[in-house]
Amino acid sequence: MANVIVIGAQWGDEGKGKITDLLSRSADVVVRYQGGVNAGHTVVVNGQTFKLHLIPSGILYPDTECIVASGTVIDPKVLIEELDQVEALGVSTQNFKISQAAHVTMPYHRLIDQASEERRGSRKIGTTGRGIGPTYADKSERTGIRMVDLMDLEGLRAQLEWTIQYKNVVLEKLYNLPPLDPEAVYQEYLGYAERLRPHVVDASLRIYEATQRRANILFEGAQGTLLDLDHGTYPYVTSSNPIAGGACVGAGVGPTMVDRVIGVAKAYTTRVGEGPFPTELVDGIGEHLGDRGAEFGTTTGRKRRCGWFDGVIGRYAVRVNGLDCLAITKLDVLDELAEIKVCVAYDVNGNRCEHLPTDPRQFALCQPIYETLPGWKTPTSECRALEDLPQAALDYLKYLAELMSVPIAIVSLGASRDQTIIIEDPIHGPKRALLDSE
């Protein structure tokens, strides 16, 4: 039995959906612990593509219980659309559960998010406009609506009348937007409540009971380490805590219940939205990575910025998450390159910096210091074992493991489940992956 956290070790979009899907076959319970519909996971199974936002990737396994925990924020309209989509594809949602303590995204959250981002102008953060930040803001301000409130229909009406009266002042006076009708919002969310009611549970208790029966639990985060509200590249971050510590808070479990933490990182680096990106490539190679890797956001369709692998943020992810193994994804995207660069440190005003600066102004000045490795110029998408890989590709993986001082457990070579080399199953395998620097 093992309880494992899967986190993104970069700026998100690392391929966590596929890795979570792979590990879910060994899990009894999969828990999504933070974020909202601003996240997106794409999973390809037998040629069929599933684009998931709130529903954990484990939903594709009929016997796996999937829980959206208290640390998430729920847009019920989007969630119901997603439930309809997976059910239309023949996937059962009977084992899908939602925490009664999760906060609910309301129409005013989306309006304020979009209007606020537009007003920022050149200082925009690059949000998805899905209302995530304002929902978490209301949570912190203790004025939010939770799933348990959504289930209390009379209480919800009274709460909406008060809340929307206040939000209308913001919409009208600050953003020059028309006011919302509390009754119309109530009637809309009344339907959502009835559809979702069978799925709403005490998630923390349910997860605890799973630990007591020694079930295998997989904790799934959204976004990535560098988007963490407290430990990411602030202010260009999300509004929650994707790092491993956020799993305990968001799921309502103690840290002693966690056995392992696996970090997911691409064989190169991508970023969506605004903010400094030291290894970004604005040349033909960057275009090649974007085209070959199909680098477009699952949620917004925005083109991702691409660059070489950044070992500085990799080591940072190891430190703040306590990673003990890695999954490297999209290695095949590098197949056609004659040489590959890896950032090993930064140059900041002539000084070598090997750690991620906390000061965003200093981070914006960072210039990558690269080491260059030979490419392999050989297709790898059909490789299914380490010995199938070209020697240069194997050397590249060993280099990354040495750079980050963490062994590699999984290598992904495409979007499909079978395009994977599983060196060690982090749930059932020994507590050391086989591919390291030795």
Side-chain angles (χ1 to χ4, degrees):
M1 186 276 289
N3 299 328
V4 177
I5 300 173
V6 177
I7 62 96
Q10 296 163 322
W11 273 288
D13 306 308
E14 301 96 346
K16 296 183 298 300
K18 174 182 173 177
I19 301 304
T20 303
D21 171 63
L22 285 169
L23 296 180
S24 293
R25 67 185 181 183
S26 302
D28 302 300
V29 181
V30 179
V31 180
R32 166 76 178 276
Y33 61 84
Q34 52 75 225
V37 296
N38 55 336
H41 287 167
T42 300
V43 180
V44 180
V45 182
N46 298 326
Q48 197 169 39
T49 299
F50 296 82
K51 292 191 175 183
L52 307 173
H53 299 278
L54 276 168
I55 300 177
S57 306
I59 197 70
L60 303 181
Y61 294 91
D63 296 327
T64 301
E65 183 173 31
C66 293
I67 300 175
V68 176
S70 306
T72 61
V73 292
I74 307 291
D75 186 323
K77 179 180 180 181
V78 177
L79 176 56
I80 290 169
E81 291 173 352
E82 193 168 328
L83 288 169
D84 289 342
Q85 288 171 6
V86 297
E87 287 172 357
L89 293 170
V91 176
S92 172
T93 58
Q94 182 178 354
N95 291 330
F96 174 67
K97 306 300 177 184
I98 310 166
S99 171
Q100 59 188 10
H103 280 249
V104 180
T105 295
M106 305 299 293
Y108 46 80
H109 292 134
R110 292 189 295 269
L111 291 169
I112 291 172
D113 191 8
Q114 294 161 12
S116 174
E117 183 75 350
E118 183 178 354
R119 179 160 291 195
R120 287 176 182 269
S122 62
R123 298 176 64 86
K124 65 181 180 179
I125 295 173
T127 75
T128 61
R130 301 298 181 93
I132 307 303
T135 308
Y136 276 114
D138 278 5
K139 176 180 179 177
S140 297
E141 200 178 47
R142 292 159 293 180
T143 59
I145 294 173
R146 303 189 298 171
M147 288 301 298
V148 68
D149 302 314
L150 194 64
M151 299 299 109
D152 177 12
L153 302 183
E154 288 307 312
L156 177 65
R157 174 180 262 127
Q159 190 170 2
L160 281 175
E161 287 176 355
W162 180 89
T163 302
I164 290 181
Q165 182 181 13
Y166 168 73
K167 296 297 181 182
N168 278 343
V169 174
V170 177
L171 292 171
E172 292 182 278
K173 303 300 182 183
L174 184 58
Y175 297 117
N176 197 30
L177 293 172
L180 292 169
D181 177 4
E183 184 60 25
V185 174
Y186 173 75
Q187 291 298 328
E188 178 186 355
Y189 278 69
L190 186 66
Y192 300 154
E194 292 312 306
R195 171 66 191 280
L196 296 176
R197 187 180 299 277
H199 300 283
V200 177
V201 299
D202 182 338
S204 177
L205 176 60
R206 206 170 185 95
I207 297 167
Y208 178 77
E209 289 173 343
T211 66
Q212 296 306 291
R213 63 177 186 267
R214 299 186 64 80
N216 292 320
I217 304 175
L218 189 63
F219 297 92
E220 172 190 27
Q223 290 93 30
T225 299
L226 277 295
L227 293 180
D228 188 271
L229 179 61
D230 293 299
H231 301 285
T233 50
Y234 192 90
Y236 303 102
V237 294
T238 193
S239 301
S240 58
N241 296 108
I243 62 170
C248 296
V249 177
V253 301
T256 56
M257 294 182 182
V258 177
D259 298 297
R260 303 197 67 178
V261 183
I262 178 170
V264 184
K266 282 177 183 166
Y268 50 102
T269 309
T270 61
R271 181 170 194 174
V272 172
E274 307 299 318
F277 183 0
T279 67
E280 182 175 13
L281 296 168
V282 290
D283 56 12
I285 295 177
E287 288 292 324
H288 172 80
L289 294 176
D291 293 341
R292 181 77 191 273
E295 298 296 352
F296 296 92
T298 303
T299 299
T300 63
R302 289 182 295 180
K303 188 175 182 179
R304 296 174 185 143
R305 301 153 65 190
C306 298
W308 296 119
F309 189 92
D310 190 327
V312 179
I313 68 171
R315 290 192 297 266
Y316 180 75
V318 171
R319 169 160 60 94
V320 298
N321 291 293
L323 301 183
D324 62 0
C325 61
L326 289 166
I328 299 296
T329 64
K330 294 196 173 184
L331 182 70
D332 58 300
V333 174
L334 305 180
D335 285 351
E336 299 175 11
L337 300 178
E339 61 178 27
I340 300 166
K341 294 183 179 181
V342 176
C343 174
V344 296
Y346 299 143
D347 181 295
V348 184
N349 294 325
N351 297 311
R352 184 183 177 96
C353 177
E354 296 191 353
H355 302 285
L356 186 73
T358 303
D359 187 338
R361 291 160 295 191
Q362 188 179 27
F363 185 51
L365 297 174
C366 289
Q367 298 297 314
I369 297 174
Y370 288 120
E371 289 193 7
T372 302
L373 285 79
W376 43 93
K377 301 285 286 183
T378 304
T380 59
S381 61
E382 299 300 320
C383 296
R384 298 295 179 266
L386 287 179
E387 53 266 28
D388 297 336
L389 290 171
Q391 186 60 47
L394 191 59
D395 290 343
Y396 179 70
L397 291 171
K398 289 182 177 180
Y399 183 87
L400 298 185
E402 181 177 13
L403 182 66
M404 297 173 67
S405 299
V406 177
I408 295 171
I410 297 171
V411 181
S412 174
L413 303 152
S416 297
R417 274 181 184 170
D418 64 330
Q419 292 179 298
T420 312
I421 299 172
I422 299 179
I423 307 160
E424 173 207 344
D425 184 330
I427 293 181
H428 287 314
K431 199 169 182 178
R432 178 172 173 80
L434 301 179
L435 180 59
D436 56 21
S437 58
E438 297 176 0

